[in-house]
Each structure stands twice: as C-alpha cells, then as structure tokens.
C-alpha cells in the first residue's frame, strides 16, 4: 500500500527536475546509464515530495553506487543481501537488474537468500554477506568477519562495506514504510527469496 504516493514527473518542482537530470549525468560520469537500468520513477517520484532531503541524500547514495572502492559485483552482493534481510521488494527488484549488470548470475542472485554459509561463495563473498548479516543483527561487523574482510579489502573499502549496508538498510526501511511499489518492469524479479 502506498503511504506516500509518488509525484508524477510533470508535477516535480523545476529545480528538482534539473537536479535529477544533472545527477544522472554526474553519477554515470557523463555517459549513459548502464544497460537494462530501470527508471526508478516510483522512488524518485516519492523523493520528489521532499526536495531538500532528496538533494542531500542522492549525492551520497551516488557515491555508494558509482564512486565506491568496491567492485560493482561486491556492492551488489551487499545490497541484495540487505534487500533480502529487510524484505524490501523494491530494493531487491532494482538490484537484481543491477546485480545482473555487475556479472552476478541468476543462480548466484537466488543463492543470496541462503546466506553466507551456502555452498558456492568465495571466502571474500561469504565475508561480505556475513558482514551484512552481522550489521543487520548486531549493528557491528564481528571481529572474525572483520579479519576475513581485512585480508582482502583496504580501509576505504571496509568503510564502503559498512556505509553501503547501512545506507541500503535505511533505504529499505524508507521504501517499505512509504509503500514504494516496484514499477511494472521490475515485477518479474519478485519475490524476494527467503
């Protein structure tokens, strides 16, 4: 159920339309969006109801999507695990598409629901999934998981891991609380696996 219905783009304030256009160009480094990227119009339309929050949040989120020190695959593993654990349909569906663009196979995406102990993950990938779970469950990455990750990732990457999980957990809470519904092009990627 939509609690905060998205504004139609024709009703967005002019300065917000300008911001969105510039933001999309900036986050994609002046080039086109990656193949198969979904519009996100329901999320953007909901955010359009609060321009000051939107123009503050999206540049930070843009760093996590396109400026992070993590690979696209690593980032998407984290985000999909967050979407799975928080049962965020919108976030899951959007990031199934982005995960596929980042090289995750359909089998790997489906296996995210089984968690870090499922067969087939590399130690690094299991560590990423475990970090997402520990942040969800206890609010911190445990010592053993941190040590595993620190063998592969530098300090900035470790910071990106925590901020990615935290930001997408917050976004999952917002999406669910506001009732943001997936666009029709995203519904084939549902439900979130359990």
């Amino acid at each position: 159920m939509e609690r905060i219905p998205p504004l139609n783009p024709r009703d967005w304030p002019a300065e917000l339309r300008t911001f969105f256009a510039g933001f999309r160009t900036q986050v994609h480094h002046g080039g086109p969006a990656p193949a198969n990227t979904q519009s996100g119009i329901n999320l953007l339309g909901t955010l359009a109801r609060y321009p000051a929050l939107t123009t503050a949040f999206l540049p930070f989120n843009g760093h996590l999507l396109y400026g992070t020190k993590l690979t696209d695959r690593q980032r998407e593993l984290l985000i999909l695990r967050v979407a799975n654990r928080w049962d965020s349909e919108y976030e899951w569906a959007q990031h199934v598409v982005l995960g596929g663009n980042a090289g995750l196979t359909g089998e790997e995406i489906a296996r995210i629901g089984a968690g870090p102990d499922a067969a087939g993950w590399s130690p690094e990938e299991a560590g990423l999934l475990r970090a997402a779970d520990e942040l969800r469950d206890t609010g911190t990455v445990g010592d053993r998981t941190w040590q595993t990750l620190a063998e592969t990732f530098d300090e900035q990457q470790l910071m990106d891991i925590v901020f990615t999980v935290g930001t997408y957990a917050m976004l999952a809470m917002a999406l669910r609380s506001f009732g943001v519904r997936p666009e029709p092009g995203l519904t084939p990627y549902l439900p979130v696996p359990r």
Side-chain angles (χ1 to χ4, degrees):
M1 176 181 79
E2 287 179 334
R3 291 176 170 172
I4 302 178
L7 281 178
N8 188 299
R10 71 175 173 270
D11 298 327
W12 295 354
E15 67 274 9
L16 198 55
R17 285 194 305 269
T18 301
F19 171 80
F20 282 149
F23 174 75
R24 285 185 176 235
T25 300
Q26 177 187 3
V27 299
H28 297 301
H29 308 291
N36 199 27
T37 300
Q38 299 292 313
S39 71
I41 198 73
N42 287 350
L43 173 58
L44 294 178
T46 303
L47 292 175
R49 293 191 172 277
Y50 196 167
L53 175 69
T54 299
T55 57
F57 172 71
L58 285 181
F60 176 69
N61 190 65
H63 166 78
L64 297 173
L65 280 173
Y66 304 108
T68 181
K69 301 285 185 176
L70 302 173
T71 67
D72 292 350
R73 179 184 172 88
Q74 293 162 344
R75 178 198 69 227
E76 292 305 316
L77 279 170
L78 289 169
I79 296 170
L80 285 165
R81 187 60 178 164
V82 168
N84 168 262
R85 289 295 312 275
W86 285 94
D87 197 29
S88 176
E89 288 188 344
Y90 190 93
E91 193 168 70
W92 176 263
Q94 279 283 356
H95 286 276
V96 165
V97 175
L98 293 174
N101 290 345
L104 290 169
T105 67
E107 186 275 326
E108 289 171 323
I109 290 170
R111 189 174 356 122
I112 288 169
D117 295 323
W121 298 122
S122 70
E124 166 194 304
E125 292 167 339
L128 290 169
L129 297 173
R130 188 165 285 106
D133 285 358
E134 290 173 356
L135 286 163
R136 165 74 162 94
D137 295 341
T138 67
T140 188
V141 177
D143 290 339
R144 177 179 280 166
T145 302
W146 187 269
Q147 288 175 329
T148 298
L149 294 172
E151 291 172 7
T152 303
F153 297 104
D154 66 25
E155 287 179 348
Q156 290 183 353
Q157 290 171 312
L158 291 166
M159 292 174 76
D160 276 333
I161 290 167
V162 174
F163 276 99
T164 299
V165 171
T167 300
Y168 279 88
M170 176 185 67
L171 190 55
M173 288 185 283
L175 290 163
R176 291 184 64 200
S177 294
F178 304 158
V180 178
R181 294 185 297 181
E183 294 84 15
L186 293 176
T187 55
Y189 303 108
L190 296 171
V192 179
R194 290 272 119 229

